Amino acid sequence: MNKKLAAALSGGAVLMLVLSGCSDDEGDKVNDWAKTFCDQAQPQIQKRANANQLIISTAADSKPETIKAADSKAFQDIADADRALAKAVESAGAPPVDNGQKVQQDAIKELNATAAAYDGLKKQVDTLDTTNQQKFADGLKVVSDNLAKIQNMDQDAVAKLQAGELGQAMAKQPGCQTPKASVPPSGSPKAGAPDAGASTPAGKPSGSAKPSASAKSEE
């Protein structure tokens, strides 16, 4: 279950992907759109990176209250970031590509839906019983199972924005590239946890990540 939590958090940060194969023939309008969006998106991408780091850096043997608080904050931050990213897509306008308006509307809809799903996960975490270790572990398993259900939705939220020339233009923008998490570790990371600044391509999460939240459920 711990791998599922890390996968969703890492894979969900789809805007962090630094695309390869960039060319120099994108039109000015496409580049301008990418800059407008990425400049607004950068703080939210950073927030997601910090949330991911908070999960994986909280020691697995921490007290249930500590693990619960870390997961709750991380899920809330991801939800807030996704809502803000939806607003950034809306503010940037329809991208100047084929079916740009549909691409924009689909991204807004999916980002808001993902935000709502993470809100739901936060509520589930907030109700976990930290006074009983077995109940706490069982509750975390339910959270992990539900997280797995929204993982693909999270990864696909703005996938179309990264297609073709629009994706290439976004890849050139510093605001859409992978940031280093700024959250200080709250405990010793699990062995194999990725470095806070390591790039994790969207859809290809690090299988060795060990978020603390779910570790208890596997004991």
Side-chain angles (χ1 to χ4, degrees), residues 28-116:
D28 289 341
K29 290 183 179 180
V30 174
N31 287 320
D32 288 345
W33 188 95
K35 185 178 189 317
T36 298
F37 170 72
C38 292
D39 285 352
Q40 296 180 65
Q42 195 280 329
Q44 311 312 322
I45 297 174
Q46 182 70 62
K47 181 180 286 189
R48 290 199 58 131
N50 293 348
N52 185 34
Q53 180 62 20
L54 178 61
I55 288 286
I56 64 176
S57 66
T58 301
D61 57 355
S62 296
K63 293 180 180 180
E65 293 86 352
T66 301
I67 295 172
K68 177 178 177 178
D71 287 353
S72 177
K73 174 173 171 49
F75 289 146
Q76 183 64 69
D77 285 351
I78 293 171
D80 292 345
D82 279 353
R83 273 188 289 270
L85 285 170
K87 290 181 180 179
V89 174
E90 182 177 14
S91 177
V97 294
D98 292 342
N99 300 314
Q101 187 171 4
K102 185 177 187 305
V103 169
Q104 179 196 30
Q105 293 304 316
D106 285 350
I108 292 171
K109 179 179 178 180
E110 291 168 9
L111 281 165
N112 282 326
T114 303

Side-chain angles (χ1 to χ4, degrees), residues 166-216:
L166 187 59
Q168 293 173 4
M170 289 167 63
K172 294 180 178 180
Q173 298 298 324
C176 279
Q177 294 179 7
T178 307
K180 290 187 177 182
S182 61
V183 174
S186 59
S188 300
K190 293 293 288 180
D195 181 82
S199 299
T200 304
K204 296 182 181 179
S206 172
S208 61
K210 304 283 187 178
S212 61
S214 56
K216 287 289 183 183

